[in-house]
Every structure is written in C-alpha cells, then in structure tokens.
Amino acid sequence: MRPSLYIEDIFKNERQQSDAQTVAGKTVQLKGWVYNTRSSGKIKFLLLRDGTGILQCVLFPQNTAPEAMAIFDELTQECAIEVEGTLAAAPKSPGGWELQLKTMKLLSRAPDYPITPKEHGPAFLLDQRHLWIRSKMQHAILRIRSEVISATRQFFDDQGFVCFDAPIFTPNACEGTTNLFQVKYFEEQAFLTQSGQLYEEAGAMAFGKVYNFGPTFRAEKSKTRRHLTEFWMVEPEVAFMDLAGSMELAEDLMCHVVERVLKNRRPELVALERDITKLEAVKKPFPRLHYKEAAAILEKESKDNFKMGMDFGGGDETILASKFDRPVFVHGFPTAIKAFYMKEDPTDPTYTLSCDLLAPEGFGEIIGGGQREESIDVLMKKIGEHGLDPAVFNWYLDLRKYGSVPHAGFGMGVERCTAWICGTQHVRETIPFPRMLYRLTP
Ligand code: 4AD
Ligand code: MG
C-alpha cells in the first residue's frame, strides 16, 4: 500500500491546465498531518500537510459527516489524519485550492507537540531538529537542497561524467592537517575524508571525467555560520582540463542549478521570502579576478586587517562579492596558503592555478578548486614541505608516474550553495541533521 495522490500532484495538475487532469469537483482521499486548525462560526478549517504540500480543508456542518466534525474538536497540531472530500477552487487558500471535507479519520494523536507557531530560539529548535523539519521554512530549505543535489547530478550525468565514489576512511590528508578527524580502527593512521579529490584524480585518469558526491568531514575548531563539521560536496575532476576550463565548468554548473531551482522550487523560494531577482541575475559570464586584484581591493576596504598574501576571511569574501550582482571567481591564490597539490603558476610560482567562487550577498565561498600539479618531482617536494607522510601518497604519485597529464577540478559545498540560493544566513539549516562543534544530536 502507498498513497496514490499527494497534495503536490493536485497543484501540479492544475498548473498544467490539462482538461483531462483538472481536479475541480473531484473527490479525493488524502493522508497527512494537521498543520493548523481554526474555526469561524460553524465553519471549521484545517491545514493538512502531507509532506509534499499544504492543503486547506473546510468542514461545513451541512456537508461534513458529524463524526468528522466531532474529531475536529480533538485535533491538535501534528495529529495524523485521513480525509476524503471534494476539491474546489479557493483563490485565498494556499495553492488556490481547498478540500471540502466529507469524512475524516483520526489515525494517531500528537499530544503537546513542542514546536508551536510562536517564536522559538535556535538552540531549542536545533534540539527539536527531528520535528523542526516539518515546519514550513525548514521544509522549503530542504526541498531546495534536494533540488540542488538532483540538478547537480543531472548536470554531470548529462555530460557523460562517471559517478565515482571516493572512500570515506582514508590514510591521506588532502586539505591540510589542522582539521582532520582521526579514526581508531585500522592498523595505520586513518582519517575521515576531508575531500575525495585525490581519488577523483585517479578516476579522471581512468575515465576522463568523473565526479564524487559524498559527505566530507572537517574538525572545524571555530563556530561560524558557514562551517559544518560534516557537509556534502560534489567534486568533478577532468583529465586534460586546465584552470580556465575548470572555471567554465563551475560557471555552467551554477547557472544550471540556479535555473532548475527557479523552475521547480519557486513556491519554496517565495515561502522563504527570497529576492528572486537576485537569482535571476545569475547568468554567464561570471567575473574573474586574479588574487592580486582582489587583494588590492581588500587592502583598501578590509575590516579584518587583510594584507597581500593572506587568505580571505568571511568578511573579506563579503566585500569582494558585494562588488558584483552574480558569483565572482577569484583565481591565482598564493602558493604559501594553498594545499600541496595545487599547480604553481608557470609565469610566477609564488601563485597557484587555483580558484574560489564567491557567492553574492555575503554567502561566501561556495566552490574551491583549480589545476593540479602534474609533475612528480614538484609534488614530492611539496608533500615534504607540507609536513605530510610521503609513504601514504605512493599510490597518488603513481598517477604522475604513469601517463601524467594536466587536469583540474573543484569541490562545490552543497550546504553553502543551498544557503545562498535560499538566502539562509546559517548553513546549519541547509542539512537535515547538522553536525557542528557543539552539536551531535539529534
Ligand atoms: O575549498 P575546499 O576546502 O576544497 C577542497 O576540499 C578541494 N579538495 C575540492 C576539490 O578541488 N575537489 O572545499 C570546497 C567547498 C568550499 O568551497 C565550500 O563550499 C565547502 O566545500 N566547504 C564547507 N562547507 C561547509 N562547512 C565547511 N566546514 C566547509 N568547508 C568547505
Ligand atoms: Mg576553499
């Protein structure tokens, strides 16, 4: 047994305006949960939530069975119910439809549901995350997240990329050693992955173009609104692609993702009161700034004492992004502040062929990537300089030994990207169950 009709289907059919599918006057059965109830004289209203949408149900004493009228008086928020009624156009109801109830069954009760329409603080809501996800805003954010993921996969699948999953347990540090999660189980030292990139490089040499879509772990010591300790990243890697190619790919991906959300998740964006014109402005080409140009701006405007050669702070990223109406690439970061695998710029080895994509409106870095070092000698030197254990990189160095070619890729943080598209200030709301320095439950 499974539901044959969802609230979303009702609205979808109506949007498509197909006569055969039009729902006015149809009798339908729905199952779901009570979102809200109210009475106006003898007429009673309830908002039914089934996970796909919210539909207003109306109980008129002359149409609705007396048992249903009696059940209504017992309903509390989040009681599970089954209803049957006739659909009618109702321009003032959510979605433009209402269900005139004939019958109703109470499937299960929900006494003292802790999240009420009144304001709650973030700590309380995070403790109630397993229930909070039923609320309208959280529901909209997580649906948009799902759309971002599906659009991303479609983008790569349609271009013939192979989905190539990297392992979660790994002996290799990829993004420095300061935020590694150690795992005690294996004989060797093991960590939770910080990035699938090194394995994607192996994949690119085997399949030409691959992507990893998986969880990523960073033992972040700081609490910021942009950092999770567990987040999801999509990491494409392409053989014979250079930095410029990598930026074009990232630009195409972002345009595709934003377009899909605008097409399929407009009601959610509206529920979040997102300024949609800001998303509609996301069109190619995105501006590209060399690090030196970005640094020159920040030396004048930074509020965090930025100096040429330093990495950007969150505030710095916001200043740079505020100059543009669409995402902006900063490329060519100094070698001294970048990971060991970054290819040095042949015209000036103190800079790398790296790039970050900064989201507009202060949402920070959503993509990081660039071209990889393809020379085995340079890599061996860098591994030493970064204090990494060369023994665990033997397999990685083989990729440079056997048919090494230029290649590039990037990582897009799913939650950062979702936070920007939703206009949500804190990434903790863009993942079903956030993991942060002080948050492991629920
Ligand atoms: O810039 P990062 O660290 O790049 C890498 O890990 C590369 N190895 C990726 C690659 O080239 N294949 O991370 C990539 C993106 C960031 O731009 C950001 O969107 C997200 O991952 N990210 C985080 N998101 C949430 N919480 C954190 N702590 C994050 N750290 C990075
Ligand atoms: Mg980065």
Side-chain angles (χ1 to χ4, degrees):
M1 187 177 74
R2 61 193 179 108
S4 57
L5 183 75
Y6 287 97
I7 292 171
E8 188 178 53
D9 303 328
I10 295 168
F11 298 145
K12 236 186 232 155
N13 285 346
E14 207 42 41
R15 271 204 298 277
Q16 286 162 356
Q17 299 272 310
S18 135
D19 283 342
Q21 288 176 317
T22 198
V23 290
K26 259 197 187 160
T27 297
V28 298
Q29 290 93 28
L30 291 167
K31 289 178 186 168
W33 298 265
V34 174
Y35 198 64
N36 211 345
T37 59
R38 72 186 164 91
S39 301
S40 167
K42 288 196 172 137
I43 309 177
K44 298 169 192 299
F45 299 90
L46 77 84
L47 291 179
L48 177 73
R49 172 186 88 68
D50 78 343
T52 72
I54 290 180
L55 183 65
Q56 172 160 290
C57 303
V58 193
L59 295 83
F60 297 106
Q62 58 271 46
N63 292 353
T64 310
E67 303 80 53
M69 299 299 278
I71 290 172
F72 179 92
D73 294 329
E74 290 179 50
L75 292 181
T76 57
Q77 195 183 343
E78 293 302 317
C79 279
I81 55 172
E82 182 177 343
V83 295
E84 183 175 310
T86 313
L87 282 163
K92 285 189 189 153
S93 304
W97 287 90
E98 68 182 21
L99 189 67
Q100 302 182 340
L101 284 205
K102 291 197 182 106
T103 62
M104 169 160 59
K105 265 193 240 162
L106 179 59
L107 303 178
S108 71
R109 292 178 194 277
D112 306 321
Y113 186 68
I115 302 177
T116 57
K118 72 165 200 196
E119 288 268 315
H120 298 285
F124 173 81
L125 289 170
L126 283 165
D127 286 340
Q128 302 291 333
R129 184 64 176 169
H130 52 297
L131 303 175
W132 190 23
I133 50 179
R134 302 182 189 188
S135 304
K136 211 165 164 188
M137 300 299 190
Q138 298 307 309
H139 199 264
I141 294 170
L142 293 176
R143 284 216 144 205
I144 290 173
R145 176 183 205 268
S146 171
E147 193 75 34
V148 166
I149 292 171
S150 134
T152 300
R153 284 196 183 279
Q154 185 202 17
F155 176 84
F156 289 115
D157 293 344
D158 284 356
Q159 295 189 44
F161 280 67
V162 173
C163 175
F164 183 84
D165 297 320
I168 307 294
F169 294 128
T170 151
N172 308 92
C174 180
E175 296 298 320
T177 49
T178 54
N179 60 9
L180 279 169
F181 275 108
Q182 286 219 31
V183 181
K184 289 202 171 61
Y185 172 79
F186 301 94
E187 269 181 21
E188 314 91 308
Q189 212 178 27
F191 312 107
L192 295 180
T193 182
Q194 286 172 309
S195 159
Q197 180 196 316
L198 306 183
Y199 296 95
E200 295 315 293
E201 291 183 53
M205 300 307 140
F207 297 92
K209 43 187 176 179
V210 292
Y211 70 97
N212 179 43
F213 205 127
T216 304
F217 305 88
R218 307 263 170 108
E220 302 286 358
K221 304 293 183 305
S222 62
K223 281 170 64 180
T224 84
R225 63 189 179 90
R226 292 175 185 170
H227 288 90
L228 295 165
T229 52
E230 178 181 325
F231 62 97
W232 287 70
M233 187 153 56
V234 59
E235 297 182 273
E237 193 71 29
V238 181
F240 305 106
M241 182 167 79
D242 61 5
L243 172 66
S246 181
M247 289 196 276
E248 281 163 27
L249 187 67
E251 187 176 63
D252 285 342
L253 170 67
M254 290 327 303
C255 290
H256 172 80
V257 167
V258 168
E259 238 170 66
R260 266 274 301 265
V261 173
L262 282 170
K263 179 164 163 265
N264 294 342
R265 293 290 155 210
R266 218 164 251 264
E268 284 79 3
L269 292 171
V270 171
L272 294 167
E273 296 177 12
R274 182 71 170 106
D275 181 350
I276 286 172
T277 59
K278 293 259 174 19
L279 297 177
E280 285 167 342
V282 178
K283 292 267 152 48
K284 287 204 290 189
F286 298 168
R288 288 153 166 76
L289 290 183
H290 190 277
Y291 171 87
K292 289 187 220 171
E293 294 170 90
I297 296 174
L298 293 177
E299 284 196 315
K300 289 198 204 93
E301 298 183 29
S302 173
K303 294 180 181 72
D304 304 321
N305 274 321
F306 174 87
K307 297 270 169 336
M308 180 73 76
M310 282 166 60
D311 207 352
F312 305 150
D316 297 330
E317 289 175 353
T318 301
I319 290 171
L320 293 171
S322 71
K323 311 270 175 219
F324 306 95
D325 68 343
R326 57 196 78 191
V328 53
F329 285 109
V330 180
H331 59 93
F333 285 85
T335 307
I337 58 167
K338 279 294 175 187
F340 76 96
Y341 56 74
M342 294 283 188
K343 185 171 169 63
E344 291 170 0
D345 185 341
T347 66
D348 180 353
T350 54
Y351 292 92
T352 54
L353 300 180
S354 54
C355 68
D356 278 5
L357 183 67
L358 309 181
E361 304 167 76
F363 288 93
E365 178 202 326
I366 45 176
I367 285 181
Q371 201 171 325
R372 322 307 187 185
E373 180 54 65
E374 75 248 32
S375 148
I376 191 164
D377 297 330
V378 178
L379 267 182
M380 285 193 336
K381 187 176 110 239
K382 286 286 200 59
I383 287 170
E385 284 169 7
H386 283 251
L388 298 167
D389 174 9
V392 295
F393 287 95
N394 281 339
W395 69 268
Y396 182 69
L397 294 171
D398 272 356
L399 307 174
R400 298 344 192 234
K401 213 155 128 193
Y402 303 113
S404 186
V405 298
H407 60 288
F410 59 82
M412 179 196 86
V414 170
E415 291 75 21
R416 294 259 190 102
C417 180
T418 304
W420 160 53
I421 291 177
C422 292
T424 302
Q425 289 308 317
H426 205 301
V427 285
R428 68 189 169 201
E429 292 179 32
T430 63
I431 186 162
F433 294 97
R435 296 291 173 251
M436 296 174 290
L437 185 53
Y438 299 115
R439 169 75 46 196
L440 184 64
T441 38

